[in-house]
Amino acid sequence: DEGAIFSAAHFLENRPKDGITWIPDTVLYLADRLHVPYEFEELTAEEKCRQQMFDALREVAELAHRGFLMTETAKAYARSRGWDEALARRFLFGWCSYEKLLDKLQTKGYPPEVLRQAGLTTRTMLDHRLLFPIKDEHGRVIGFTSRTLLSKEEARQKDIPLYVNSDTNVVYKKSRALFNIHQIEGDTVWLVEGPADVISLDKHGVHNAVALCGVALTDDHFRLLTRKGIRTVIFCLDNDKKGREAEEEILNRITRAHGLSVYVKNRDGCTDVDDCLRTHDVLLTSGQQSMFEYYLGRYKETQSREYRDKTLRAIFLEKSPIDQDNLCKRMAAELDVRREVIWEELNHLIDREG
C-alpha cells in the first residue's frame, strides 16, 4: 500500500493525515527521517485558495458532525427516518448554528473570501438543517446537501426548501459529483436521486449506491464511475413522471463509449426509494430490466415508433454480434414477426442516424 507509511505516521506518531499541515508536519517529517531529498516549490495563490477551501470544508463537516451528536432534535429526526448512530457516523451527519460555525471558522483564521468561495456563507443551507457532506472520489469534502427537519407537506406550506445543495464552485462541480462515490467498491452501483435514498439502501445492506446532487447525469459522471471500476449501473430514480423522464433521457445518452451495462430496477408500487424502504423491502427483492427489455416493454405498451427505435438502438449498443442476434430473435418473438424484419429495421435505423 503506497499510503501505508503516512497511515503509520498518523496512527503511531499522531501526525496529520490530511489538511493544511499534512505536507510540513507529515510528508517533510518523513522525508527528513528517511533522508529523502526534496525541494520546495511555492504554491500559486489559486492553489493555496483551493487547499484552504478543502480544509475549511473538512472542518465544517467535522464540527457539524460533533454538533449533530450533541443535538437531540437532530438525532431524534434521524431516528424517525430509521437511521441509527452507525449510519450517522458512516455518512457524517451534521447539524450546526450558522453564526457559531462562522465564528469558529474565522477564529481558526480562514479568510472570509475562502469561506465565500467554498459556499460556507450560505445560511439557507447551513443553519439548523441536517447536513450531508458530499465527498469526491478521494474522500475529500467538496460540498454539502442539507435537509429541513420539516415534513414535505410542512416545508411546502411554509415555502421552505426541502433540500439545499452547495453551489458550483472551484472544488465542487455538480456535473462531476456523486454522493457516496468515495465509499463505492466492486463493479456494480445503484444510481438514485438523493442522499436519503443512498442512506436507506445502505441501512438495508446495499452499500454500493450513489446519488445525483440535484443535477442531471452527465458524461463526466459516467467517466467518474468508470474510473472507480464500475461496469454495471442499476437505475433506481423516483418512480414518478419526472423521474421516469430523467431516466429515459439518461438511457438515451448512454453509448458504447462508456462500456457500461445498464439496468432499470423494477419499482412497481414504489415511488420514492427512501419512502419505499421504510414500509417494505420490495425494492430489494424485485428484479431489474436491461435497457433492451425496458424499451421493448414501453414499445409494446405504446406502439410508439420512438420506443421501437430506442429498442433497436439498445440492440445495436451490444458489443457482441451474437448478443445482437439473440436480442433480434427475442424482439421478433415478442412482436410475432420474422427475425429478418428486425434486422432490416435495425439497418434502416443505422442508415438514418449514422
Side-chain angles (χ1 to χ4, degrees), residues 256-297:
R256 187 180 292 189
H258 294 297
L260 294 168
S261 297
V262 180
Y263 294 89
V264 178
K265 192 70 179 173
N266 294 334
R267 294 151 299 172
D268 292 340
C270 267
T271 301
D272 176 272
V273 173
D274 175 47
D275 289 344
C276 179
L277 289 172
R278 278 190 278 162
T279 55
H280 50 73
D281 63 357
V282 66
L283 274 180
L284 306 178
T285 57
S286 66
Q288 57 208 29
Q289 296 176 301
S290 68
M291 187 159 54
F292 165 80
E293 292 166 331
Y294 178 83
Y295 282 135
L296 181 58

Side-chain angles (χ1 to χ4, degrees), residues 1-246:
D1 184 350
E2 294 177 356
I5 191 170
F6 301 114
S7 297
H10 172 65
F11 288 111
L12 298 179
E13 301 192 26
N14 201 31
R15 295 281 166 175
K17 61 180 178 179
D18 54 24
I20 201 166
T21 61
W22 181 67
I23 296 291
D25 289 355
T26 303
V27 177
L28 300 187
Y29 163 76
L30 290 171
D32 288 334
R33 283 202 59 176
L34 300 172
H35 308 293
V36 176
Y38 56 84
E39 294 181 5
F40 285 104
E41 184 173 319
E42 190 69 26
L43 293 177
T44 66
E46 182 180 342
E47 288 169 337
K48 287 180 181 177
C49 181
R50 281 174 58 87
Q51 185 58 58
Q52 287 181 311
M53 288 171 70
F54 280 125
D55 291 339
L57 288 160
R58 175 181 51 80
E59 194 96 50
V60 168
E62 293 173 354
L63 288 170
H65 182 58
R66 290 199 289 272
F68 170 84
L69 294 175
M70 294 186 293
T71 306
E72 187 54 39
T73 306
K75 289 193 293 184
Y77 174 80
R79 286 194 298 270
S80 75
R81 302 290 296 261
W83 301 335
D84 59 18
E85 192 167 307
L87 282 171
R89 292 185 187 280
R90 177 167 166 80
F91 291 98
L92 214 65
F93 291 6
W95 178 266
C96 61
S97 156
Y98 175 77
E99 284 83 5
K100 289 181 180 178
L101 182 69
L102 281 190
D103 285 344
K104 287 182 180 179
L105 291 174
Q106 289 166 356
T107 299
K108 288 176 176 287
Y110 290 103
E113 180 59 17
V114 168
L115 299 180
R116 186 193 67 78
Q117 287 195 45
L120 296 175
T121 55
T122 309
R123 176 187 290 271
T124 309
M125 181 179 68
L126 296 171
D127 198 28
H128 296 99
R129 295 170 67 92
L130 194 61
L131 274 180
F132 305 103
I134 301 168
K135 298 183 179 182
D136 65 12
E137 59 197 293
H138 307 296
R140 297 178 297 187
V141 179
I142 54 176
F144 295 91
T145 184
S146 70
R147 193 200 189 281
T148 176
L149 301 196
L150 300 176
S151 68
K152 292 179 182 178
E153 294 72 22
E154 289 175 311
R156 186 163 51 246
Q157 289 170 3
K158 296 182 179 181
D159 198 25
I160 293 173
L162 200 62
Y163 284 95
V164 179
N165 297 308
S166 290
D167 291 328
T168 294
N169 57 49
V170 174
V171 299
Y172 176 53
K173 302 282 191 269
K174 293 183 182 182
S175 62
R176 301 176 189 172
L178 291 169
F179 179 77
N180 199 44
I181 188 66
H182 64 294
Q183 300 197 93
I184 295 304
E185 297 177 352
D187 62 2
T188 300
V189 71
W190 288 46
L191 180 75
V192 295
E193 290 211 9
D197 300 329
V198 170
I199 294 163
S200 290
L201 281 169
D202 194 273
K203 173 191 171 183
H204 287 85
V206 180
H207 305 303
N208 267 25
V210 295
L212 297 167
C213 300
V215 69
L217 197 69
T218 67
D219 285 337
D220 283 332
H221 288 134
F222 286 124
R223 282 188 278 271
L224 176 57
L225 291 170
T226 54
R227 282 202 306 273
K228 288 288 289 187
I230 297 301
R231 294 291 174 264
T232 302
V233 180
I234 301 170
F235 286 94
C236 195
L237 303 183
D238 287 355
N239 193 23
D240 54 18
K241 185 174 185 294
K242 181 180 177 184
R244 286 190 295 271
E245 287 175 351

